[in-house]
Amino acid sequence: MSKRKNTIISALLLLALFGFILILERMLPPTHIALTVLKKSCIYALVAVSMNLLNGFTGLFSLGQAGFMLIGAYTYGILTIPVEARASVYMYYGGGIIQFAVPVAVGILAAGITAAAFAWLIGLPVLRLKSDYLAIATLGFAEIIRAVFMWDKLGVLTNGSNLLRKFPTFSSVTFPFIVAGCCIAVMVLIINSSYGRAFKAIRDDEIAAEAMGINLAKHKRMAFCISSFFAGVGGALLAMYQTSIQANTFKSAMTYEILLIVVIGGLGSVTGSCIASFLFIACSEWWLRFLDAEMYIGDFKVPLLRSGFRKVVFAVIIMIIVLFYRRGIMGNKEFSVEGICNFFKKRFGRKKEAAS
């Protein structure tokens, strides 16, 4: 199958998925858990792919994703709160220092740019480190930035430890799906470009990459800024999904969740990150919810079923996946129509040969 034909079929499948989401949204009530899972899955898929771009494709072990999401969320909230609502939002800080509002699209773009700008500044000293040291440094940055945004002295801008609210949000699944889909498509184009090949070369062997003429510092900083840009956009979408912003939401546990999604999906697989995002959110917030409720069969009480048992089962499932799929669900492969056709040809072709 030609590359062009494979691209056309993949695009048609994406359109079919978009149509299915539209139909599902019309059939189900707005508060249905399935729609909630789809909204959050789209956001987490975007952030997971941005982290995979850095960790999986470039080989830089960073744990600062929650910090860049926080920057993006606050940038979006600060810039898009309507002027007439600022007095009530910044009631403890005299209405705040900013007295204008920008459109939603501009706010989302500004969220990504601000996160990328912070990444560029932080990357100057931090990207000299490698492996665990880089992870510790970026994790420390995320915790520092969270504390700074809660500082009362910056309350006129960030509202201190109080909530930012009354900014534009979304209710439809199609909005995060389109935004996340466009951002992921841009990252796929970057990965398949000459810059993406340079990222992979750095991941595989830095010495060989440098010998081939690749500027390590430049490309590492580029990957770090691109990843942070899309993490900032994801933070803005998450703020819209949650309808409010507070720094305590963006703790290190959020970064660990995203990293877990990347590992489950497969380091170096965009498709794997997208699939794992849906599975992670659906299992943690929907499919396993019944395990938190007590259940009786006649007079017999089913043991273990109680509040919190869902997390135990979820942890066991994750351990099984990691043990038996050490490279993740997709490994470093991508979903493609050609790959599916080859899979079925191998399976059914062998059976036909054996029968003959």
Side-chain angles (χ1 to χ4, degrees):
M1 186 182 292
S2 66
K3 187 176 180 180
R4 183 180 177 184
K5 189 175 181 180
N6 188 37
T7 303
I8 293 172
I9 294 174
S10 300
L12 290 174
L13 288 173
L14 284 174
L15 286 174
L17 177 61
F18 182 69
F20 172 75
I21 290 174
L22 284 176
I23 295 170
L24 194 68
E25 194 169 23
R26 289 183 176 274
M27 291 175 60
L28 299 175
T31 56
H32 196 277
I33 185 65
L35 299 180
T36 303
V37 166
L38 285 173
K39 292 174 188 175
K40 196 170 181 180
S41 297
C42 291
I43 299 167
Y44 268 61
L46 169 58
V47 181
V49 173
S50 73
M51 191 175 197
N52 208 345
L53 174 67
L54 193 62
N55 290 23
F57 289 97
T58 315
L60 298 177
F61 188 28
S62 170
L63 293 177
Q65 218 70 0
F68 296 116
M69 290 175 70
L70 182 149
I71 292 169
Y74 268 89
T75 301
Y76 172 80
I78 290 167
L79 293 179
T80 57
I81 295 173
V83 176
E84 61 273 12
R86 289 184 179 272
S88 60
V89 174
Y90 290 90
M91 58 188 302
Y92 299 109
Y93 298 97
I97 195 172
I98 295 179
Q99 293 300 320
F100 63 87
V102 301
V104 171
V106 176
I108 293 175
L109 186 61
I113 292 172
T114 307
F118 270 85
W120 186 83
L121 290 172
I122 295 159
L124 291 174
V126 164
L127 290 179
R128 298 172 185 271
L129 304 173
K130 294 182 180 180
S131 188
D132 299 343
Y133 299 102
L134 175 61
I136 293 168
T138 50
L139 181 62
F141 151 74
E143 291 300 310
I144 290 169
I145 205 71
R146 184 167 63 87
V148 168
F149 271 66
M150 295 176 66
W151 188 28
D152 283 341
K153 298 293 183 181
L154 289 177
V156 291
L157 186 65
T158 64
N159 209 21
S161 58
N162 303 303
L163 291 174
L164 279 181
R165 51 195 174 85
K166 296 189 177 180
F167 47 80
T169 60
F170 60 81
S171 57
S172 173
V173 182
T174 54
F175 181 82
F177 181 84
I178 292 172
V179 175
C182 291
C183 291
I184 291 171
V186 171
M187 281 189 277
V188 170
L189 291 175
I190 293 171
I191 289 167
N192 293 327
S193 69
S194 58
Y195 292 107
R197 289 191 288 273
F199 295 160
K200 293 174 186 176
I202 293 171
R203 174 196 63 189
D204 294 337
D205 193 326
E206 287 192 9
I207 297 174
E210 192 171 24
M212 291 170 63
I214 296 172
N215 189 324
L216 297 183
K218 175 187 172 182
H219 284 85
K220 283 182 179 181
R221 195 177 301 118
M222 185 186 297
F224 196 51
C225 290
I226 292 171
S227 174
S228 302
F229 174 88
F230 289 110
V233 173
L237 291 177
L238 187 63
M240 298 173 77
Y241 166 77
Q242 295 177 338
T243 70
S244 63
I245 305 169
Q246 191 173 31
N248 272 333
T249 307
F250 300 89
K251 293 182 177 180
S252 56
M254 181 177 287
T255 299
Y256 301 147
E257 286 182 352
I258 298 163
L259 179 62
L260 185 60
I261 289 171
V262 172
V263 172
I264 291 173
L267 286 168
S269 173
V270 174
T271 310
S273 294
C274 295
I275 295 171
S277 297
F278 174 76
L279 294 176
F280 181 87
I281 300 299
C283 286
S284 61
E285 299 195 9
W286 183 14
W287 295 338
L288 300 180
R289 280 286 180 184
F290 71 95
L291 296 172
D292 284 347
E294 293 183 354
M295 186 182 297
Y296 287 86
I297 302 176
D299 294 331
F300 175 74
K301 180 182 177 182
V302 179
L304 299 178
L305 295 184
R306 64 190 66 182
S307 179
F309 186 61
R310 164 178 58 93
K311 295 182 179 180
V312 176
V313 175
F314 187 52
V316 172
I317 293 172
I318 291 171
M319 288 172 63
I320 292 171
I321 292 173
V322 171
L323 286 172
F324 291 96
Y325 295 90
R326 295 187 180 181
R327 298 183 63 189
I329 297 171
M330 295 294 293
N332 59 356
K333 298 179 181 178
E334 301 291 352
F335 172 84
S336 66
V337 179
E338 187 176 1
I340 293 174
C341 293
N342 291 335
F343 174 79
F344 281 106
K345 281 180 182 178
K346 288 179 180 179
R347 293 290 180 181
F348 292 101
R350 288 174 183 175
K351 289 182 179 180
K352 288 180 179 179
E353 288 176 4
S356 59

